[in-house]
Amino acid sequence: MANIRDLKKDINYVLGDIIEAVYIFEESNNTPGSKEGNEIIDKAIATFDDLIAKVNQKNVENRKAHLKAVRQELEKEATSLVNKLNKMG
């Protein structure tokens, strides 16, 4: 089950890094608590909760395909959040 553990760590690290990048951007531009930054953070937290719930689902037909789809969704959502972060600047 190392694959599941690694996927959970990837979800945590990727979304955590995006949230940290928002904080760093806001501090460096003297705009702490900006509306755009808060939206990105809220979306990252919601995505984290959703993906972890999907990883923990036990009643799926093909577990390997399900986890692969979760990983692809993580990549898609992370790319979207990074693009929003880049537009802030």
Side-chain angles (χ1 to χ4, degrees), residues 14 18 40 77-88:
V14 168
I18 290 171
I40 294 171
E77 291 295 329
T79 301
S80 171
L81 290 170
V82 169
N83 287 338
K84 287 181 184 179
L85 177 62
N86 289 337
K87 289 179 184 176
M88 283 178 59

Side-chain angles (χ1 to χ4, degrees), residues 40-68:
I40 294 171
I41 291 170
D42 290 344
K43 177 68 175 162
I45 292 170
T47 300
F48 174 84
D49 292 342
D50 182 48
L51 293 177
I52 291 296
K54 287 181 180 180
V55 169
N56 290 331
Q57 283 180 343
K58 301 290 184 202
N59 58 349
V60 292
E61 250 182 66
N62 186 345
R63 184 85 168 144
K64 188 174 181 179
H66 175 72
L67 294 176
K68 186 175 181 181

Side-chain angles (χ1 to χ4, degrees), residues 18-51:
I18 290 171
I19 292 171
E20 184 177 0
V22 171
Y23 287 134
I24 291 171
F25 176 82
E26 288 179 341
E27 285 299 318
S28 65
N29 290 314
N30 251 352
T31 58
S34 69
K35 181 181 174 194
E36 299 88 4
N38 286 337
E39 288 175 4
I40 294 171
I41 291 170
D42 290 344
K43 177 68 175 162
I45 292 170
T47 300
F48 174 84
D49 292 342
D50 182 48
L51 293 177

